[in-house]
Amino acid sequence: MKKGLSVVLRAAMAGALLNGAALAETTKTSNYAEHPEAGAVIEALGERGFDTDRVRRLLADAKRQDSILEAIARPAEKSLTWAEYSRIFLTDTRVEQGVQFAREHADTLARAEQKYDVPREIILAIIGVETSYGRNKGRYRVLDALATLGFDYPPRASFFRKQLVALFEMERDAHIDASTITGSYAGAMGFPQFIPTSYQAYAVDFDGDDVIDLVNSPADAIGSVASYFAAHKWQPGLPVAARARVDGDDYAALVKKGYKPSFTLAQARKNGVVAVSCEGDSLGSDYCFDLPADTSVAMLDLIGDDGHEFWLVSNNFYVITRYNHSELYAMAVLQLSHRIADALEARSL
């Protein structure tokens, strides 16, 4: 949220080599309040009216977690194939959990869908992939995670120090106790795993109690996921992805362009790539396009159980990647959303 990332943050494209080098160069810090960069964090919070003595005490109490540094150096999105990654998230158990969550929060999901024009199955899939509907909100103290990454992870240290400042701000604005709240190894929190700045920017009070609580309120989580997608320009009714057929080797040039749409369906066809049609195509109609030739798309080449899977994806796929910057993550969300939607339809929910 997240980031907002995912809203869980992932390692930079430099990969394990850069991350491993960064980990090797850090020096274990026994007291983060005495770190050379801590003064700027304390000063920034002091300027915002916070008790700097308390901030300093909490930073001194923060513990470096080597397991966090190891985890961010080897994220699953960078080390697994689509076949391996999909088996983690596309399970019957997770679908059933999604159906149950949808049944329990049907009115809230309908309200979010109406207000933000984001399908309920996408909202459900995000919460399902992130935390199995609140069953796994993270085991790390967020203070420890953000201090570890903000002071001992050079590739993204400034980013995580910004998250640390935002965490303290959320004590005042979201009734969060910075000394105790737990989350992911990247400091993401609650049902939808928002990092602090995403929490501040996109989270909403959707249950009407005047508190934005993504940790304990499923309603706030549902509304906040929808808010996040709407803010990132989700287009209602636009298909997310279609399987594709390729002819020749020119498709490789399109794959190299990444998952942000940068060419049209017409240009894809010139490179030998054609999206599966929704009109009775033998490859299946669950993932298909019948869109104008000038529609902007991107191309994926994923390694599934049966080898290469070719996909053309729309801007809505790119919107999913704004939650987590990974094509594997976005594909897992998409396919889980389809399975949940089918299960809800089968049960007339």
Side-chain angles (χ1 to χ4, degrees):
M1 25 187 195
K2 240 126 158 6
K3 245 185 51 268
L5 300 176
S6 167
V7 179
V8 178
L9 185 72
R10 305 302 175 189
M13 290 299 292
L17 289 177
L18 174 59
N19 294 328
L23 177 57
E25 291 173 2
T26 59
T27 301
K28 291 188 178 181
T29 305
S30 59
N31 184 344
Y32 279 127
E34 297 176 354
H35 190 281
E37 299 293 342
V41 172
I42 296 169
E43 181 180 356
L45 288 165
E47 292 174 351
R48 292 164 170 78
F50 288 84
D51 181 350
T52 56
D53 288 338
R54 180 173 182 274
V55 173
R56 191 174 287 106
R57 286 195 302 272
L58 288 183
L59 290 180
D61 183 57
K63 303 296 189 295
R64 169 177 163 136
Q65 300 288 341
D66 287 337
S67 59
I68 288 175
L69 295 170
E70 293 163 2
I72 202 167
R74 293 188 299 274
E77 289 82 0
K78 301 295 183 183
S79 60
L80 301 181
T81 66
W82 166 238
E84 295 165 335
Y85 191 85
S86 64
R87 282 193 285 273
I88 298 172
F89 298 105
L90 304 182
T91 65
D92 291 341
T93 297
R94 206 172 297 249
V95 172
E96 288 305 309
Q97 290 171 350
V99 170
Q100 180 62 31
F101 192 83
R103 182 182 289 114
E104 293 172 358
H105 305 288
D107 291 344
T108 303
L109 285 161
R111 186 160 52 91
E113 192 170 26
Q114 181 177 29
K115 179 177 176 65
Y116 293 106
D117 270 337
V118 178
R120 64 174 177 169
E121 60 267 22
I122 290 290
I123 301 170
L124 288 165
I126 287 287
I127 298 174
V129 167
E130 290 293 343
T131 61
S132 292
Y133 306 96
R135 291 171 176 81
N136 181 20
K137 297 175 186 173
R139 63 185 179 86
Y140 291 103
R141 192 169 62 148
V142 174
L143 176 66
D144 294 339
L146 296 180
T148 296
L149 295 171
F151 299 120
D152 280 333
Y153 183 62
R156 300 301 301 274
S158 61
F159 175 86
F160 284 108
R161 287 196 296 273
K162 181 179 179 181
Q163 301 306 315
L164 191 57
V165 170
L167 174 66
F168 282 102
E169 291 177 333
M170 288 169 56
E171 285 198 304
R172 180 176 60 196
D173 303 332
H175 298 195
I176 282 173
D177 185 345
S179 68
T180 61
I181 189 170
T182 58
S184 76
Y185 71 79
M189 297 166 282
F191 282 86
Q193 293 290 276
F194 274 22
I195 58 173
T197 53
S198 291
Y199 208 122
Q200 291 177 315
Y202 307 111
V204 296
D205 170 23
F206 214 59
D207 59 12
D209 67 354
D210 295 325
V211 176
I212 301 174
D213 183 359
L214 302 187
V215 177
N216 302 298
S217 171
D220 285 359
I222 289 167
S224 297
V225 171
S227 166
Y228 189 99
F229 272 70
H232 286 81
K233 311 299 184 185
W234 177 269
Q235 298 176 48
L238 177 66
V240 178
R243 292 291 298 271
R245 292 185 172 84
V246 302
D247 182 17
D249 297 324
D250 289 344
Y251 74 88
L254 302 181
V255 173
K256 290 179 180 178
K257 293 178 179 289
Y259 50 68
K260 183 176 184 179
S262 59
F263 53 88
T264 65
L265 284 171
Q267 291 168 325
R269 183 178 289 273
K270 289 181 180 179
N271 281 57
V273 182
V274 179
V276 165
S277 170
C278 299
E279 296 298 325
D281 195 291
S282 61
L283 197 54
S285 59
D286 282 345
Y287 304 99
C288 58
F289 279 163
D290 285 317
L291 296 171
D294 62 355
T295 301
S296 292
V297 292
M299 185 175 181
L300 310 180
D301 178 5
L302 305 180
I303 305 300
D305 287 325
D306 298 321
H308 290 272
E309 294 182 9
F310 299 108
W311 295 81
L312 288 171
V313 299
S314 74
N315 194 67
N316 275 352
F317 186 90
Y318 181 71
V319 172
I320 299 175
T321 69
R322 300 307 83 202
Y323 208 96
N324 178 315
H325 296 181
S326 163
E327 61 190 33
L328 299 185
Y329 175 89
M331 187 59 70
V333 168
L334 172 63
Q335 294 199 17
L336 181 61
S337 77
H338 276 242
R339 295 191 186 192
I340 291 173
D342 289 344
L344 292 173
E345 182 179 3
R347 301 174 199 195
S348 300
L349 294 175

